[in-house]
Amino acid sequence: GAGAVGAGVPDGGGHVAASPDQAGAAGGRAEAWGGAVVELASAPSEAWLSVAAGRKGGLPDAARHVLTAVDQVRFAHVYVDGSLVAIGRGTVTGQGRWLGLGLIEVLPVARRQGLARRLINELAAWGVSGGATHAFLQVEQRNTTAIALYQRLGFTTHHTYLTRFAPNPQR
């Protein structure tokens, strides 16, 4: 499927919002976060990898290296009542200028409670502290719910692409 990349961001002007509560205030959902705890780690937990693998239909053996082989990287783990309910990955690259957001996933049982917004907000605050001034993300075009959230945060579509797979010689 095609993917869309947004280059723009929480403040709508192409820069990462420096205010940690800006994204939450924009949506009026801060109260829904309740007891959610967001932890940022330099490596993914096994539970984080399991959620990512479930979303992607499995992860190859080299995935851990690819996910962590960036100097500035954080893995967001969102817990509610001790259970992991959302994940995300942030990187600061491009001479420290770009915050890249990816693998953002909220488990179905915890959706529509503002957790993705909170996760993105925490990664944005981390990115700003690492010097990021711009942000980008990648999202499947068919994920209209996520696209609507990203649009509310100020992201716009920069370009789309089509993923192609090699033919299966076993067919």
Side-chain angles (χ1 to χ4, degrees):
V5 175
V9 289
D11 73 357
H15 304 281
V16 176
S19 170
D21 59 10
Q22 181 175 358
R29 286 188 167 265
E31 70 283 352
W33 301 346
V37 175
V38 180
E39 295 179 1
L40 301 182
S42 58
S45 67
E46 291 303 318
W48 191 103
L49 290 168
S50 178
V51 172
R55 170 79 168 127
K56 293 292 186 183
L59 293 174
D61 292 338
R64 185 184 302 256
H65 172 73
V66 170
L67 290 170
T68 60
V70 178
D71 289 337
Q72 293 186 70
V73 62
R74 287 296 178 271
F75 295 86
H77 300 72
V78 182
Y79 298 94
V80 172
D81 296 330
S83 295
L84 183 67
V85 295
I87 64 166
R89 178 176 176 264
T91 59
V92 175
T93 58
Q95 300 173 341
R97 182 174 165 214
W98 286 96
L99 169 65
L101 300 169
L103 292 169
I104 296 169
E105 176 73 17
V106 178
L107 297 180
V109 68
R111 290 185 180 152
R112 310 223 35 99
Q113 298 179 42
L115 296 174
R117 183 183 297 267
R118 170 120 184 244
L119 181 153
I120 291 166
N121 191 54
E122 295 288 338
L123 286 171
W126 168 79
V128 166
S129 73
T133 56
H134 293 71
F136 68 91
L137 58 86
Q138 178 179 337
V139 61
E140 294 283 334
Q141 284 184 311
R142 67 178 178 256
N143 191 344
T144 56
T145 302
I147 290 170
L149 168 64
Y150 300 142
Q151 288 173 336
R152 287 191 302 273
L153 293 176
F155 285 91
T156 59
T157 299
H158 182 271
H159 68 273
T160 62
Y161 66 91
L162 181 64
T163 302
R164 298 193 182 271
F165 295 93
N168 183 348
Q170 311 259 325
R171 289 187 201 175

